[in-house]
Amino acid sequence: MKKFDFSMQKILNLREFQEEQAKIELGKALSETNRIQSELEQIAVERVRIVQLCSETSVDQLIINERYIKRLDISRDRLLEELAAAELVVQEKRGIFAEAMKNRKVLTNLKEKKFKVYKKDAQLADDNVLDDIATSRFTKE
């Protein structure tokens, strides 16, 4: 019996590679989004800490704290802009990944169908050989 050979295997391998690359790029985009969100959380925690300190300090310290809070707000606003841009990149990468997955799935399904046909034909050929053997035994006797 000959071995199963899928004529489009190289294309399937390429599609699998493209899907893997798209998955990696999506992961990078998601990690960037998570990094920005983590920085935003750190700024929020720092801002709360400074606001709590403001009630127990001198006027000079209050001015310093107020300037620090303004700097934190500016950083927060910059990070929010970065987060919006990063979310757009994530959506784009998700679309690319979904398309790559769809393209690979089409070929995988085709390969599975061809393999089923191959198995059916191979089973039929084996059945014919066994029938021939059985028939030849009965005709010899």
Side-chain angles (χ1 to χ4, degrees):
M1 175 193 297
K2 68 178 185 172
K3 181 181 155 192
F4 175 70
D5 183 37
F6 182 56
S7 61
M8 300 178 78
Q9 186 62 44
K10 289 183 181 180
I11 297 171
L12 178 59
N13 292 343
L14 175 66
R15 297 274 170 88
E16 288 172 346
F17 176 76
Q18 289 171 338
E19 179 184 9
E20 189 62 31
Q21 290 301 105
K23 185 177 182 180
I24 290 169
E25 291 298 318
L26 176 60
K28 287 178 183 178
L30 286 171
S31 70
E32 178 64 16
T33 301
N34 290 338
R35 180 194 63 79
I36 294 170
Q37 287 175 339
S38 175
E39 287 183 29
L40 283 169
E41 288 172 7
Q42 289 173 352
I43 287 175
V45 167
E46 184 65 14
R47 194 172 194 291
V48 167
R49 187 184 70 78
I50 293 298
V51 168
Q52 289 173 347
L53 287 177
C54 287
S55 62
E56 311 166 355
T57 57
S58 67
V59 173
D60 291 336
Q61 191 61 41
L62 286 174
I63 292 171
I64 292 170
N65 289 346
E66 189 64 32
R67 288 181 182 159
Y68 185 59
I69 288 173
K70 282 184 181 181
R71 190 180 68 78
L72 288 176
D73 288 344
I74 290 169
S75 295
R76 182 197 64 213
D77 293 342
R78 178 186 50 81
L79 286 172
L80 287 172
E81 289 173 6
E82 287 180 23
L83 182 61
E87 287 292 337
L88 290 175
V89 170
V90 165
Q91 292 302 321
E92 176 188 342
K93 299 296 181 183
R94 272 197 181 114
I96 291 170
F97 177 64
E99 185 68 25
M101 205 165 67
K102 183 179 83 174
N103 290 338
R104 190 242 344 130
K105 190 69 174 166
V106 166
L107 283 177
T108 301
N109 288 342
L110 180 62
K111 181 179 180 179
E112 289 172 1
K113 287 178 184 177
K114 290 201 178 234
F115 185 71
K116 285 180 183 177
V117 169
Y118 164 79
K119 291 278 283 189
K120 183 179 175 185
D121 291 344
Q123 184 64 41
L124 187 61
D126 285 346
D127 290 347
N128 287 339
V129 168
L130 292 175
D131 285 347
D132 289 344
I133 292 171
T135 303
S136 67
R137 282 191 180 169
F138 285 118
T139 57
K140 288 182 182 179
E141 294 176 4

